[in-house]
mmCIF file of all heavy atoms in Angstrom:
data_model
loop_
_atom_site.group_PDB
_atom_site.id
_atom_site.type_symbol
_atom_site.label_atom_id
_atom_site.label_comp_id
_atom_site.label_asym_id
_atom_site.label_seq_id
_atom_site.Cartn_x
_atom_site.Cartn_y
_atom_site.Cartn_z
ATOM 1 N N LEU M 506 -27.956 44.089 -2.394
ATOM 2 C CA LEU M 506 -26.676 44.168 -3.098
ATOM 3 C C LEU M 506 -25.957 42.829 -3.083
ATOM 4 O O LEU M 506 -25.275 42.465 -4.056
ATOM 5 C CB LEU M 506 -25.788 45.244 -2.454
ATOM 6 C CG LEU M 506 -26.213 46.697 -2.669
ATOM 7 C CD1 LEU M 506 -25.347 47.634 -1.820
ATOM 8 C CD2 LEU M 506 -26.100 47.069 -4.145
ATOM 9 N N ASN M 507 -26.111 42.077 -2.004
ATOM 10 C CA ASN M 507 -25.464 40.774 -1.936
ATOM 11 C C ASN M 507 -26.032 39.813 -2.974
ATOM 12 O O ASN M 507 -25.298 39.010 -3.559
ATOM 13 C CB ASN M 507 -25.621 40.185 -0.529
ATOM 14 C CG ASN M 507 -24.781 38.947 -0.315
ATOM 15 O OD1 ASN M 507 -23.576 38.961 -0.517
ATOM 16 N ND2 ASN M 507 -25.421 37.862 0.107
ATOM 17 N N LYS M 508 -27.321 39.897 -3.215
ATOM 18 C CA LYS M 508 -27.920 39.063 -4.255
ATOM 19 C C LYS M 508 -27.393 39.452 -5.637
ATOM 20 O O LYS M 508 -27.104 38.594 -6.472
ATOM 21 C CB LYS M 508 -29.450 39.191 -4.202
ATOM 22 C CG LYS M 508 -30.073 38.598 -2.938
ATOM 23 C CD LYS M 508 -31.576 38.821 -2.891
ATOM 24 C CE LYS M 508 -32.184 38.252 -1.609
ATOM 25 N NZ LYS M 508 -33.636 38.515 -1.497
ATOM 26 N N GLU M 509 -27.265 40.752 -5.873
ATOM 27 C CA GLU M 509 -26.702 41.210 -7.145
ATOM 28 C C GLU M 509 -25.249 40.754 -7.279
ATOM 29 O O GLU M 509 -24.805 40.342 -8.358
ATOM 30 C CB GLU M 509 -26.778 42.734 -7.231
ATOM 31 C CG GLU M 509 -28.194 43.296 -7.291
ATOM 32 C CD GLU M 509 -28.204 44.815 -7.327
ATOM 33 O OE1 GLU M 509 -27.176 45.402 -7.739
ATOM 34 O OE2 GLU M 509 -29.213 45.422 -6.931
ATOM 35 N N ARG M 510 -24.519 40.831 -6.180
ATOM 36 C CA ARG M 510 -23.120 40.404 -6.194
ATOM 37 C C ARG M 510 -22.994 38.947 -6.591
ATOM 38 O O ARG M 510 -22.107 38.559 -7.360
ATOM 39 C CB ARG M 510 -22.515 40.646 -4.805
ATOM 40 C CG ARG M 510 -21.030 40.340 -4.689
ATOM 41 C CD ARG M 510 -20.728 38.913 -4.297
ATOM 42 N NE ARG M 510 -21.423 38.487 -3.105
ATOM 43 C CZ ARG M 510 -21.516 37.225 -2.733
ATOM 44 N NH1 ARG M 510 -20.993 36.251 -3.479
ATOM 45 N NH2 ARG M 510 -22.165 36.887 -1.624
ATOM 46 N N LYS M 511 -23.879 38.095 -6.083
ATOM 47 C CA LYS M 511 -23.840 36.671 -6.413
ATOM 48 C C LYS M 511 -24.013 36.460 -7.916
ATOM 49 O O LYS M 511 -23.324 35.617 -8.516
ATOM 50 C CB LYS M 511 -24.933 35.923 -5.652
ATOM 51 C CG LYS M 511 -24.684 35.789 -4.162
ATOM 52 C CD LYS M 511 -25.820 35.017 -3.496
ATOM 53 C CE LYS M 511 -25.596 34.856 -2.005
ATOM 54 N NZ LYS M 511 -26.713 34.138 -1.340
ATOM 55 N N ASP M 512 -24.928 37.206 -8.529
ATOM 56 C CA ASP M 512 -25.151 37.065 -9.971
ATOM 57 C C ASP M 512 -23.912 37.476 -10.761
ATOM 58 O O ASP M 512 -23.510 36.798 -11.715
ATOM 59 C CB ASP M 512 -26.349 37.916 -10.396
ATOM 60 C CG ASP M 512 -27.664 37.410 -9.807
ATOM 61 O OD1 ASP M 512 -27.727 36.218 -9.458
ATOM 62 O OD2 ASP M 512 -28.613 38.213 -9.713
ATOM 63 N N ILE M 513 -23.297 38.600 -10.353
ATOM 64 C CA ILE M 513 -22.092 39.070 -11.035
ATOM 65 C C ILE M 513 -20.962 38.059 -10.860
ATOM 66 O O ILE M 513 -20.240 37.728 -11.808
ATOM 67 C CB ILE M 513 -21.671 40.448 -10.489
ATOM 68 C CG1 ILE M 513 -22.734 41.498 -10.811
ATOM 69 C CG2 ILE M 513 -20.316 40.868 -11.051
ATOM 70 C CD1 ILE M 513 -22.512 42.831 -10.126
ATOM 71 N N GLU M 514 -20.818 37.551 -9.641
ATOM 72 C CA GLU M 514 -19.748 36.592 -9.358
ATOM 73 C C GLU M 514 -19.902 35.339 -10.214
ATOM 74 O O GLU M 514 -18.904 34.797 -10.727
ATOM 75 C CB GLU M 514 -19.777 36.225 -7.877
ATOM 76 C CG GLU M 514 -18.717 35.214 -7.479
ATOM 77 C CD GLU M 514 -18.901 34.708 -6.059
ATOM 78 O OE1 GLU M 514 -19.666 35.306 -5.285
ATOM 79 O OE2 GLU M 514 -18.276 33.671 -5.729
ATOM 80 N N THR M 515 -21.120 34.875 -10.388
ATOM 81 C CA THR M 515 -21.358 33.667 -11.180
ATOM 82 C C THR M 515 -20.874 33.838 -12.611
ATOM 83 O O THR M 515 -20.215 32.949 -13.182
ATOM 84 C CB THR M 515 -22.858 33.313 -11.179
ATOM 85 O OG1 THR M 515 -23.267 33.040 -9.832
ATOM 86 C CG2 THR M 515 -23.130 32.092 -12.038
ATOM 87 N N LEU M 516 -21.158 34.992 -13.208
ATOM 88 C CA LEU M 516 -20.746 35.247 -14.586
ATOM 89 C C LEU M 516 -19.232 35.341 -14.711
ATOM 90 O O LEU M 516 -18.626 34.765 -15.620
ATOM 91 C CB LEU M 516 -21.398 36.532 -15.090
ATOM 92 C CG LEU M 516 -22.926 36.507 -15.232
ATOM 93 C CD1 LEU M 516 -23.457 37.879 -15.605
ATOM 94 C CD2 LEU M 516 -23.349 35.471 -16.272
ATOM 95 N N VAL M 517 -18.607 36.077 -13.792
ATOM 96 C CA VAL M 517 -17.155 36.231 -13.842
ATOM 97 C C VAL M 517 -16.463 34.895 -13.590
ATOM 98 O O VAL M 517 -15.485 34.552 -14.261
ATOM 99 C CB VAL M 517 -16.693 37.291 -12.817
ATOM 100 C CG1 VAL M 517 -15.167 37.353 -12.757
ATOM 101 C CG2 VAL M 517 -17.266 38.658 -13.165
ATOM 102 N N LEU M 518 -16.974 34.127 -12.636
ATOM 103 C CA LEU M 518 -16.363 32.841 -12.324
ATOM 104 C C LEU M 518 -16.398 31.899 -13.513
ATOM 105 O O LEU M 518 -15.421 31.199 -13.789
ATOM 106 C CB LEU M 518 -17.080 32.206 -11.131
ATOM 107 C CG LEU M 518 -16.596 30.823 -10.707
ATOM 108 C CD1 LEU M 518 -15.126 30.863 -10.307
ATOM 109 C CD2 LEU M 518 -17.442 30.285 -9.556
ATOM 110 N N GLU M 519 -17.488 31.893 -14.237
ATOM 111 C CA GLU M 519 -17.602 31.017 -15.408
ATOM 112 C C GLU M 519 -16.506 31.334 -16.422
ATOM 113 O O GLU M 519 -15.858 30.428 -16.956
ATOM 114 C CB GLU M 519 -18.982 31.187 -16.042
ATOM 115 C CG GLU M 519 -19.234 30.251 -17.210
ATOM 116 C CD GLU M 519 -20.632 30.394 -17.779
ATOM 117 O OE1 GLU M 519 -21.474 31.074 -17.141
ATOM 118 O OE2 GLU M 519 -20.888 29.843 -18.871
ATOM 119 N N GLU M 520 -16.273 32.607 -16.669
ATOM 120 C CA GLU M 520 -15.240 32.993 -17.631
ATOM 121 C C GLU M 520 -13.847 32.710 -17.075
ATOM 122 O O GLU M 520 -12.952 32.241 -17.805
ATOM 123 C CB GLU M 520 -15.385 34.468 -17.983
ATOM 124 C CG GLU M 520 -16.683 34.811 -18.699
ATOM 125 C CD GLU M 520 -16.793 36.296 -19.018
ATOM 126 O OE1 GLU M 520 -15.787 37.009 -18.814
ATOM 127 O OE2 GLU M 520 -17.867 36.738 -19.463
ATOM 128 N N ALA M 521 -13.641 32.992 -15.785
ATOM 129 C CA ALA M 521 -12.326 32.774 -15.185
ATOM 130 C C ALA M 521 -11.964 31.290 -15.175
ATOM 131 O O ALA M 521 -10.805 30.926 -15.413
ATOM 132 C CB ALA M 521 -12.309 33.337 -13.766
ATOM 133 N N LEU M 522 -12.943 30.448 -14.906
ATOM 134 C CA LEU M 522 -12.686 29.007 -14.905
ATOM 135 C C LEU M 522 -12.257 28.512 -16.282
ATOM 136 O O LEU M 522 -11.367 27.655 -16.396
ATOM 137 C CB LEU M 522 -13.932 28.255 -14.442
ATOM 138 C CG LEU M 522 -14.230 28.262 -12.941
ATOM 139 C CD1 LEU M 522 -15.617 27.670 -12.671
ATOM 140 C CD2 LEU M 522 -13.167 27.486 -12.175
ATOM 141 N N ALA M 523 -12.874 29.046 -17.313
ATOM 142 C CA ALA M 523 -12.521 28.624 -18.676
ATOM 143 C C ALA M 523 -11.063 28.972 -18.987
ATOM 144 O O ALA M 523 -10.324 28.168 -19.571
ATOM 145 C CB ALA M 523 -13.462 29.292 -19.681
ATOM 146 N N ILE M 524 -10.648 30.177 -18.589
ATOM 147 C CA ILE M 524 -9.259 30.586 -18.823
ATOM 148 C C ILE M 524 -8.309 29.731 -17.994
ATOM 149 O O ILE M 524 -7.284 29.245 -18.487
ATOM 150 C CB ILE M 524 -9.073 32.078 -18.473
ATOM 151 C CG1 ILE M 524 -9.969 32.956 -19.346
ATOM 152 C CG2 ILE M 524 -7.611 32.492 -18.634
ATOM 153 C CD1 ILE M 524 -9.990 34.424 -18.929
ATOM 154 N N ALA M 525 -8.653 29.531 -16.720
ATOM 155 C CA ALA M 525 -7.790 28.749 -15.827
ATOM 156 C C ALA M 525 -7.673 27.305 -16.286
ATOM 157 O O ALA M 525 -6.590 26.709 -16.211
ATOM 158 C CB ALA M 525 -8.328 28.816 -14.401
ATOM 159 N N ASP M 526 -8.763 26.730 -16.759
ATOM 160 C CA ASP M 526 -8.725 25.356 -17.268
ATOM 161 C C ASP M 526 -7.709 25.218 -18.397
ATOM 162 O O ASP M 526 -6.960 24.235 -18.465
ATOM 163 C CB ASP M 526 -10.116 24.930 -17.754
ATOM 164 C CG ASP M 526 -11.014 24.441 -16.620
ATOM 165 O OD1 ASP M 526 -10.480 23.869 -15.656
ATOM 166 O OD2 ASP M 526 -12.241 24.640 -16.709
ATOM 167 N N ARG M 527 -7.694 26.208 -19.294
ATOM 168 C CA ARG M 527 -6.734 26.166 -20.411
ATOM 169 C C ARG M 527 -5.305 26.269 -19.886
ATOM 170 O O ARG M 527 -4.407 25.564 -20.378
ATOM 171 C CB ARG M 527 -7.028 27.297 -21.393
ATOM 172 C CG ARG M 527 -8.321 27.111 -22.190
ATOM 173 C CD ARG M 527 -8.362 28.017 -23.401
ATOM 174 N NE ARG M 527 -8.386 29.425 -23.030
ATOM 175 C CZ ARG M 527 -9.499 30.127 -22.821
ATOM 176 N NH1 ARG M 527 -10.687 29.526 -22.916
ATOM 177 N NH2 ARG M 527 -9.447 31.402 -22.508
ATOM 178 N N GLN M 528 -5.086 27.129 -18.898
ATOM 179 C CA GLN M 528 -3.734 27.276 -18.347
ATOM 180 C C GLN M 528 -3.252 25.980 -17.707
ATOM 181 O O GLN M 528 -2.109 25.562 -17.922
ATOM 182 C CB GLN M 528 -3.712 28.404 -17.321
ATOM 183 C CG GLN M 528 -3.905 29.790 -17.901
ATOM 184 C CD GLN M 528 -3.839 30.868 -16.829
ATOM 185 O OE1 GLN M 528 -3.750 30.592 -15.638
ATOM 186 N NE2 GLN M 528 -3.882 32.138 -17.264
ATOM 187 N N ILE M 529 -4.112 25.342 -16.941
ATOM 188 C CA ILE M 529 -3.728 24.100 -16.267
ATOM 189 C C ILE M 529 -3.537 22.973 -17.279
ATOM 190 O O ILE M 529 -2.655 22.120 -17.115
ATOM 191 C CB ILE M 529 -4.777 23.706 -15.213
ATOM 192 C CG1 ILE M 529 -4.923 24.799 -14.153
ATOM 193 C CG2 ILE M 529 -4.416 22.378 -14.560
ATOM 194 C CD1 ILE M 529 -3.652 25.103 -13.398
ATOM 195 N N ALA M 530 -4.349 22.961 -18.330
ATOM 196 C CA ALA M 530 -4.185 21.938 -19.367
ATOM 197 C C ALA M 530 -2.828 22.080 -20.059
ATOM 198 O O ALA M 530 -2.174 21.086 -20.387
ATOM 199 C CB ALA M 530 -5.317 22.039 -20.387
ATOM 200 N N GLU M 531 -2.397 23.324 -20.265
ATOM 201 C CA GLU M 531 -1.108 23.568 -20.920
ATOM 202 C C GLU M 531 0.062 23.252 -19.996
ATOM 203 O O GLU M 531 1.111 22.794 -20.445
ATOM 204 C CB GLU M 531 -1.029 25.029 -21.376
ATOM 205 C CG GLU M 531 -2.011 25.373 -22.491
ATOM 206 C CD GLU M 531 -2.051 26.867 -22.781
ATOM 207 O OE1 GLU M 531 -1.287 27.617 -22.110
ATOM 208 O OE2 GLU M 531 -2.835 27.285 -23.649
ATOM 209 N N ASP M 532 -0.116 23.500 -18.684
ATOM 210 C CA ASP M 532 0.964 23.246 -17.723
ATOM 211 C C ASP M 532 0.364 22.804 -16.392
ATOM 212 O O ASP M 532 0.062 23.635 -15.528
ATOM 213 C CB ASP M 532 1.810 24.508 -17.527
ATOM 214 C CG ASP M 532 2.947 24.285 -16.528
ATOM 215 O OD1 ASP M 532 3.181 23.124 -16.145
ATOM 216 O OD2 ASP M 532 3.595 25.282 -16.135
ATOM 217 N N PRO M 533 0.188 21.507 -16.188
ATOM 218 C CA PRO M 533 -0.427 21.001 -14.953
ATOM 219 C C PRO M 533 0.369 21.344 -13.687
ATOM 220 O O PRO M 533 -0.170 21.304 -12.593
ATOM 221 C CB PRO M 533 -0.473 19.482 -15.172
ATOM 222 C CG PRO M 533 -0.423 19.320 -16.658
ATOM 223 C CD PRO M 533 0.442 20.425 -17.156
ATOM 224 N N THR M 534 1.666 21.655 -13.844
ATOM 225 C CA THR M 534 2.498 21.986 -12.683
ATOM 226 C C THR M 534 2.516 23.479 -12.387
ATOM 227 O O THR M 534 3.263 23.928 -11.508
ATOM 228 C CB THR M 534 3.939 21.501 -12.904
ATOM 229 O OG1 THR M 534 4.533 22.243 -14.000
ATOM 230 C CG2 THR M 534 3.971 20.014 -13.232
ATOM 231 N N ARG M 535 1.729 24.243 -13.084
ATOM 232 C CA ARG M 535 1.705 25.700 -12.926
ATOM 233 C C ARG M 535 1.502 26.069 -11.453
ATOM 234 O O ARG M 535 0.597 25.554 -10.783
ATOM 235 C CB ARG M 535 0.580 26.256 -13.793
ATOM 236 C CG ARG M 535 0.487 27.753 -13.876
ATOM 237 C CD ARG M 535 -0.703 28.155 -14.742
ATOM 238 N NE ARG M 535 -0.833 29.586 -14.805
ATOM 239 C CZ ARG M 535 -0.272 30.370 -15.731
ATOM 240 N NH1 ARG M 535 0.432 29.813 -16.687
ATOM 241 N NH2 ARG M 535 -0.422 31.673 -15.702
#
Side-chain angles (χ1 to χ4, degrees):
L506 289 172
N507 190 55
K508 293 177 181 177
E509 294 178 23
R510 184 270 307 166
K511 289 181 180 178
D512 293 337
I513 295 171
E514 179 189 346
T515 298
L516 294 174
V517 174
L518 178 60
E519 184 177 349
E520 296 179 8
L522 283 171
I524 299 172
D526 277 328
R527 290 197 296 270
Q528 291 181 354
I529 300 300
E531 293 172 1
D532 180 10
T534 66
R535 186 182 178 91

